[in-house]
Amino acid sequence: MESESLPTDELAAVFARVSGLLLSAETVNNGLALVTALAKESFAGTAGAGITLLDQAGDRVTAAATDAVVERADALQYELGQGPCLTAWEQRAVVRVDDLDREERWPDWVRAVAGVGLRSVLSAPLLLDGKLLGAMKVYASGPGAYGEREEHLLTMFATQAAILLDNLRTSEDARRVSDDLRRALRGRDVVALAKGVVMARDGVDERAAFLVLADLARRRGTTLRRACEHLVRSAPGRPGRSR
């Protein structure tokens, strides 16, 4: 159906919108939902679009889907361990189904999905710098919905989704590292305060004060940070000190 494919200027506009997501999306889920919505709009006759990723347990899941029909067709693939999306993932290649009524590659899945109302499927791997991140797919209710130009278009969408996913995950990792760093710095601050308390109280230098704190933590059976927090809270003049 090349005659119904997006013309070049419209493709440019679509991918300008997708590129904008790289700067505006706040979470992985929101970003992928927007990409799949744009994909559905861009393929004429498409019943739905979706993206498959691995969850924390290492299982394949539909991380974003525009319609329930996508989630159902995908769920049957995961349950049966076969289907076009899984093949695109495993073979790192675009997989096209022109008519499910005549498809023989995944017999169990084809029989199971017969009542869902789909006839055409196009799937592409999410690849970035040789790293496989997942797979993207579009489903259509009519046969012969996709051709070579749609294969190229979906590959472009999959690349954009891979970039978005990688950027957002990197951003989330950076936020986690930043949070960990702030916690570590707060820990260093309380240790420094506790050392100051011991130095003023006992008239010792910084090294000796640290050894006192380490011994306190050992005797209390707790961490150095918690021992320091307790000491600082109970120091004379500190708010909340029992009298």
Side-chain angles (χ1 to χ4, degrees), residues 160-239:
Q160 292 291 323
I163 293 171
L164 174 63
L165 183 64
D166 189 65
N167 284 355
L168 289 173
R169 284 180 170 175
T170 299
S171 177
E172 289 187 350
D173 287 344
R175 282 197 293 271
R176 283 193 290 270
V177 170
S178 179
D179 290 341
D180 290 344
L181 180 59
R182 281 194 291 271
R183 284 191 290 271
L185 289 175
R186 285 197 294 270
R188 288 176 56 184
D189 287 345
V190 75
V191 171
L193 284 172
K195 283 193 295 185
V197 169
V198 173
M199 290 167 67
R201 183 193 66 191
D202 299 348
V204 297
D205 61 18
E206 184 176 353
R207 180 176 180 279
F210 181 81
L211 293 176
V212 169
L213 294 171
D215 183 63
L216 176 63
R218 181 186 59 77
R219 286 187 285 106
R220 286 180 171 271
T222 187
T223 64
L224 177 65
R225 176 178 173 176
R226 291 193 175 184
C228 291
E229 288 174 344
H230 177 78
L231 179 65
V232 169
R233 284 197 301 268
S234 61
R238 298 293 298 179

Side-chain angles (χ1 to χ4, degrees), residues 37-191:
L38 285 173
K40 181 182 178 180
E41 292 177 11
S42 302
F43 290 85
T46 289
I51 290 176
T52 297
L53 302 175
L54 288 178
D55 64 10
Q56 293 182 343
D59 298 321
R60 290 181 173 90
V61 296
T62 300
T66 60
D67 301 84
V69 68
V70 175
E71 296 178 342
R72 178 57 181 156
D74 282 358
L76 289 171
Q77 291 194 62
Y78 310 147
E79 178 183 337
L80 297 169
Q82 61 175 244
C85 183
L86 298 186
T87 298
W89 182 312
E90 293 164 1
Q91 297 183 357
R92 297 185 172 218
V94 175
V95 173
R96 189 177 88 204
V97 179
D98 293 327
D99 191 348
L100 280 173
D101 287 354
R102 300 182 179 183
E103 183 56 58
E104 299 178 350
R105 283 174 286 184
W106 315 280
D108 293 340
W109 180 74
V110 170
R111 282 193 296 270
V113 82
V116 178
L118 300 173
R119 295 285 294 277
S120 300
V121 188
L122 190 62
S123 302
L126 269 62
L127 289 169
L128 184 64
D129 298 330
K131 181 169 60 177
L132 183 62
L133 303 179
M136 186 172 189
K137 80 299 302 263
V138 287
Y139 294 102
S141 56
Y146 309 121
E148 291 184 2
R149 193 161 189 268
E150 285 73 29
E151 290 184 18
H152 178 64
L153 178 58
L154 187 64
T155 300
M156 293 170 65
F157 263 105
T159 299
Q160 292 291 323
I163 293 171
L164 174 63
L165 183 64
D166 189 65
N167 284 355
L168 289 173
R169 284 180 170 175
T170 299
S171 177
E172 289 187 350
D173 287 344
R175 282 197 293 271
R176 283 193 290 270
V177 170
S178 179
D179 290 341
D180 290 344
L181 180 59
R182 281 194 291 271
R183 284 191 290 271
L185 289 175
R186 285 197 294 270
R188 288 176 56 184
D189 287 345
V190 75
V191 171

